Amino acid sequence: MVNYKDLGLVNTRDMFARAVKGGYAIPAFNFNTMEQMQAIIMAAVETKSPVIMQVSKGARNYANATILRYMAEGAVAYAKELGCEHPEIVLHLDHGDSFELCKNCIDMGFSSVMYDGSSLPYEENIAITKQVVEYAHKYDVTVEAELGVLAGVEDEVVATESHYTKPEEVIDFTTKSGCDSLAISIGTSHGAYKFTPDQCTRDPKTGLLVPPPLAFDVLEEIEKKLPGFPIVLHGSSSVPQEEVATINQFGGKLPDAIGIPEDQLRQASKSAVCKINIDSDSRLAMTAAIRQHLAEHPDHFDPRQYLKPARDNMKKMYVHKIVNVLGSDGKLAQA
């Protein structure tokens, strides 16, 4: 049993309470590689922001559970080395699909886990979420649950249709499950293709797709039912069109990739939404930088030559999200 506190990590309870009260959201950035982790920590330290480093089941299998434990411990040490005396870093399981996976992550030093039973029957979702909560709370680990279904593809999470969270269910669900935060569905979606062209309109000036608006009326109803309760938005990458254009320019093929407009995420951040998940934007920033570098330097073969600009581009994106979208800069408990 590895206790996350011994690694220097924190859970989400205090940072979420401050975020709900302060009207901002904590960034939850997915990572698979050392370069992503470095970029996340550099951005968090530079902006003095709490941060959630999260891994999916697939990312955990890719990186190895034991290595992740030491990467998390290293992330805390790295933040301090960069000058942040009291970093607030969470290691979070994204879309855990079983009690056993959640338990194993807790035992390996995760400070927060998500059990995603959103595709299950309502009562089964409650029952397994409660089982995860009971185990997690023994070790002061916080638990995120999900109600409603997001469309799209993210690692093993695949859904062809979205189903909005039903506001009339949220009180019963959170009370019975005991979860610490709730991921809801209001129109966000996983992956770089969050909407089909048929779901969008086109800007007559640019020809770019304009996605449909998020269902803020559903969010408002949920806030009324659960005042002050931490709400989470998954699938909230904006799919920056400049990164998509760079990828396409240098040999990629991402037609009609579209994400969530940042102005809508800013609006959500000022509500009870206190955690916003961003994964695809990091992948796009990394891939764009690598494609451009290799196209411009065909003689390069040292991975450090193309991974350094990839890391720099991801850091730039993370800083932008923290400062200009989520508003979590300067929000460390102890600056």
Side-chain angles (χ1 to χ4, degrees):
M1 177 76 192
V2 179
N3 191 298
Y4 71 86
K5 295 176 183 178
D6 295 334
L7 305 181
L9 300 167
V10 299
N11 66 27
T12 60
R13 191 169 292 114
D14 183 53
M15 64 171 65
F16 281 3
R18 300 195 322 262
V20 172
K21 185 177 180 180
Y24 59 90
I26 307 295
F29 297 131
N30 289 68
F31 77 105
N32 304 267
T33 70
M34 179 186 75
E35 289 77 16
Q36 286 177 307
M37 183 272 283
Q38 289 173 317
I40 290 168
I41 297 305
M42 287 190 289
V45 170
E46 181 177 310
T47 60
K48 297 181 173 60
S49 173
V51 71
I52 297 168
M53 301 195 317
Q54 58 185 29
V55 292
S56 64
K57 178 181 177 181
R60 189 168 180 261
N61 291 338
Y62 175 82
N64 177 269
T66 302
I67 289 175
L68 276 174
R69 165 202 165 181
Y70 288 102
M71 286 182 76
E73 187 174 18
V76 175
Y78 184 40
K80 292 180 179 180
E81 184 180 308
L82 290 175
C84 182
E85 190 174 349
H86 301 286
E88 291 182 74
I89 301 171
V90 175
L91 180 62
H92 175 76
L93 171 65
D94 189 26
H95 290 289
D97 61 0
S98 69
F99 168 77
E100 291 74 22
L101 175 59
C102 292
K103 178 182 182 299
N104 188 257
C105 286
I106 293 165
D107 293 346
M108 289 293 285
F110 280 61
S111 57
S112 175
V113 295
M114 177 203 184
Y115 172 68
D116 181 3
S118 59
S119 63
L120 300 174
Y122 179 76
E123 294 297 338
E124 188 176 354
N125 188 1
I126 289 176
I128 302 178
T129 301
K130 182 179 180 181
Q131 185 183 14
V132 173
V133 167
E134 289 174 347
Y135 186 79
H137 283 185
K138 290 179 184 178
Y139 304 101
D140 199 27
V141 171
T142 41
V143 178
E144 175 185 327
E146 183 165 339
L147 193 58
V149 178
L150 273 69
V153 178
E154 181 183 1
D155 289 353
E156 298 84 4
V157 182
V158 180
T160 55
E161 294 183 1
S162 64
H163 300 281
Y164 286 169
T165 303
K166 299 176 182 177
E168 62 271 20
E169 293 179 343
V170 296
I171 296 175
D172 182 69
F173 183 89
T174 55
T175 301
K176 288 181 178 177
S177 69
C179 63
D180 299 290
S181 60
L182 184 66
I184 64 170
S185 174
I186 59 169
T188 56
S189 179
H190 292 128
Y193 295 91
K194 298 189 183 301
F195 307 98
T196 66
D198 290 344
Q199 294 174 299
C200 305
T201 57
R202 283 197 183 270
D203 186 319
K205 294 182 180 179
T206 65
L208 296 176
L209 294 176
V210 179
L214 298 179
F216 282 102
D217 56 332
V218 175
L219 174 59
E220 290 170 6
E221 285 301 311
I222 291 171
E223 285 184 291
K224 290 176 184 176
K225 301 284 187 184
L226 295 174
F229 194 84
I231 300 299
V232 177
L233 284 187
H234 283 242
S236 296
S237 284
S238 297
V239 187
Q241 292 303 297
E242 63 271 20
E243 305 292 5
V244 173
T246 299
I247 290 171
N248 290 338
Q249 179 184 350
F250 293 102
K253 191 175 182 181
L254 293 175
D256 292 331
I258 190 72
I260 309 299
E262 289 188 341
D263 60 336
Q264 295 191 41
L265 295 177
R266 284 189 204 98
Q267 182 179 343
S269 298
K270 293 177 171 60
S271 69
V273 173
C274 63
K275 173 178 180 271
I276 290 184
N277 290 14
I278 296 170
D279 184 4
S280 295
D281 285 355
S282 173
R283 300 181 187 196
L284 292 166
M286 187 176 200
T287 300
I290 290 173
R291 280 190 175 275
Q292 180 170 354
H293 183 91
L294 290 177
E296 295 175 348
H297 304 276
D299 58 319
H300 284 183
F301 61 92
D302 183 340
R304 292 171 296 183
Q305 292 174 309
Y306 54 82
L307 288 175
K308 185 180 185 298
R311 184 178 64 192
D312 292 344
N313 203 34
M314 287 188 290
K315 180 203 167 188
K316 177 183 174 183
M317 185 274 294
Y318 293 139
V319 168
H320 167 71
K321 296 291 184 181
I322 289 169
V323 175
N324 299 314
V325 182
L326 309 182
S328 64
D329 51 310
K331 300 300 192 301
L332 287 174
Q334 300 180 63

